Amino acid sequence: NSFANYSRLTEVTIPASVRSIGQQAFMDCASLRRVDFHGSVAAIGGRAFRNCTALAEVHCPSLEDWLDNGFETALSNPLSYGAKLYAGDNLIEDICVPEGRESINDFAFYNYTLITKAVIDESVAEIGRSAFQDCAALTEIELGASLRLLDKKAFNGAPLTTITSHNPVPPTFDIVSTTATFSNYNATVYVPTGSLEAYQSNVYWKNFSNIIEKDLSGIDGIISSDEVPFVIAGNTVTAKTDMTIYGVDGKTTAGVQAHQTISLPDGIYIVRSADKTYKIAVRR
């Protein structure tokens, strides 16, 4: 209760040296509009930001730092009341989980309404409790090949239309029914070639009526057409329209204007142009 009900508090800076925040630390701070994390906090106590309804901005150095935060409950997360999340100078709207993570912590993006697509790296084995619960704009998720467990309410309340699972072995849920993990079964589920029967007969996935096999062995090749706003040739990307290129850590790599050509190091990138987002591989 360190600052609970302190009505004059408008901004909070959390130094990188802070390893824990106690329960209800900022509860009922009705004027709190901005929180800056200068690192990650391993333990953020229950209801730490409860009733901080004026929160508008949450800042952290990187998406990796944000994912390292440990939230005890949904209201430990300052995003709970509709604040926008910034990693560095970048507003987070789509999620591409950085490489090398083994899990996504509980409540990581609870009630974050700006996410439309989440790409989970192939190293992630577990998505925590309510990690993407009530993400009201989240329509598409891509689950990596190592994913084994979706914890309770991981995507409950998200209006998903497309789920792509790269694991030929269907990931399990924390309970037998998908009721708590997903809020509906209307999404189209794409699974690796040869795994259709495994998903259709699986106690966790069989409630999805539209499960389709697809070659998920690699990133689809980019076809030069009017619908794709760039052309890739080896390490060179030529823009057809203005766009922004991000690394998998969520940081901006480059802003590229129409007809401009840029050379990139080998790797995976996210390209955003207008209202569309693409995941691309650049390699010699």
Side-chain angles (χ1 to χ4, degrees):
N1 299 292
S2 300
F3 298 96
N5 202 33
Y6 185 46
S7 61
R8 287 172 169 260
L9 190 63
T10 59
E11 296 187 11
V12 172
T13 298
I14 311 295
S17 57
V18 172
R19 302 309 306 148
S20 66
I21 295 174
Q23 293 186 359
Q24 302 175 178
F26 301 100
M27 184 175 72
D28 295 325
C29 289
S31 299
L32 183 61
R33 293 187 52 80
R34 174 169 172 154
V35 178
D36 283 85
F37 290 86
H38 284 197
S40 58
V41 181
I44 302 179
R47 296 177 291 177
F49 292 93
R50 179 181 176 182
N51 289 336
C52 294
T53 54
L55 266 172
E57 294 183 17
V58 177
H59 294 255
C60 62
S62 68
L63 186 59
E64 183 74 30
D65 285 303
W66 183 256
L67 290 168
D68 283 338
N69 283 328
F71 301 110
E72 183 179 330
T73 66
L75 299 182
S76 303
N77 189 334
L79 299 181
S80 298
Y81 290 99
K84 295 179 180 180
L85 176 63
Y86 293 83
D89 295 324
N90 301 315
L91 175 63
I92 299 299
E93 295 177 275
D94 290 326
I95 302 295
C96 185
V97 174
E99 295 180 8
R101 293 199 65 84
E102 296 182 359
S103 64
I104 297 176
N105 288 346
D106 295 351
F107 309 107
F109 297 100
Y110 177 85
N111 198 39
Y112 190 56
T113 58
L114 296 186
I115 304 174
T116 59
K117 179 178 181 179
V119 178
I120 311 301
D121 185 70
E122 62 181 14
S123 63
V124 174
E126 179 177 350
I127 296 178
R129 176 184 176 187
S130 299
F132 294 91
Q133 183 180 350
D134 293 338
C135 290
L138 181 58
T139 58
E140 183 178 355
I141 58 173
E142 185 172 343
L143 307 176
S146 297
L147 186 66
R148 298 193 304 270
L149 176 66
L150 295 170
D151 213 336
K152 183 166 59 177
K153 296 185 179 181
F155 293 98
N156 190 279
L160 294 169
T161 59
T162 303
I163 301 170
T164 301
S165 177
H166 288 261
N167 194 343
V169 178
T172 59
F173 303 159
D174 73 321
I175 56 173
V176 173
S177 169
T178 60
T179 301
T181 305
F182 297 96
S183 52
N184 64 69
Y185 314 114
N186 300 324
T188 299
V189 180
Y190 294 100
V191 300
T193 301
S195 63
L196 179 61
E197 184 178 351
Y199 276 82
Q200 288 178 332
S201 61
N202 184 271
V203 67
Y204 306 104
W205 292 90
K206 65 181 182 180
N207 288 324
F208 288 97
S209 59
N210 193 20
I211 303 176
I212 301 173
E213 281 189 335
K214 186 177 181 181
D215 183 4
L216 302 175
S217 58
I219 296 174
D220 295 339
I222 297 297
I223 301 172
S224 179
S225 72
D226 292 339
E227 296 180 359
V228 180
F230 53 85
V231 176
I232 301 175
N235 289 70
T236 300
V237 179
T238 301
K240 295 182 179 180
T241 186
D242 293 352
M243 62 189 197
T244 305
I245 301 175
Y246 302 90
V248 292
D249 59 359
K251 295 181 180 179
T252 301
T253 299
V256 187
Q257 296 180 344
H259 309 300
Q260 182 181 354
T261 296
I262 184 172
S263 294
L264 298 169
D266 289 3
I268 304 296
Y269 297 89
I270 303 299
V271 177
R272 171 167 290 170
S273 174
D275 60 346
K276 293 187 177 181
T277 303
Y278 304 82
K279 183 180 180 182
I280 65 172
V282 175
R283 54 181 175 263
R284 293 180 182 84

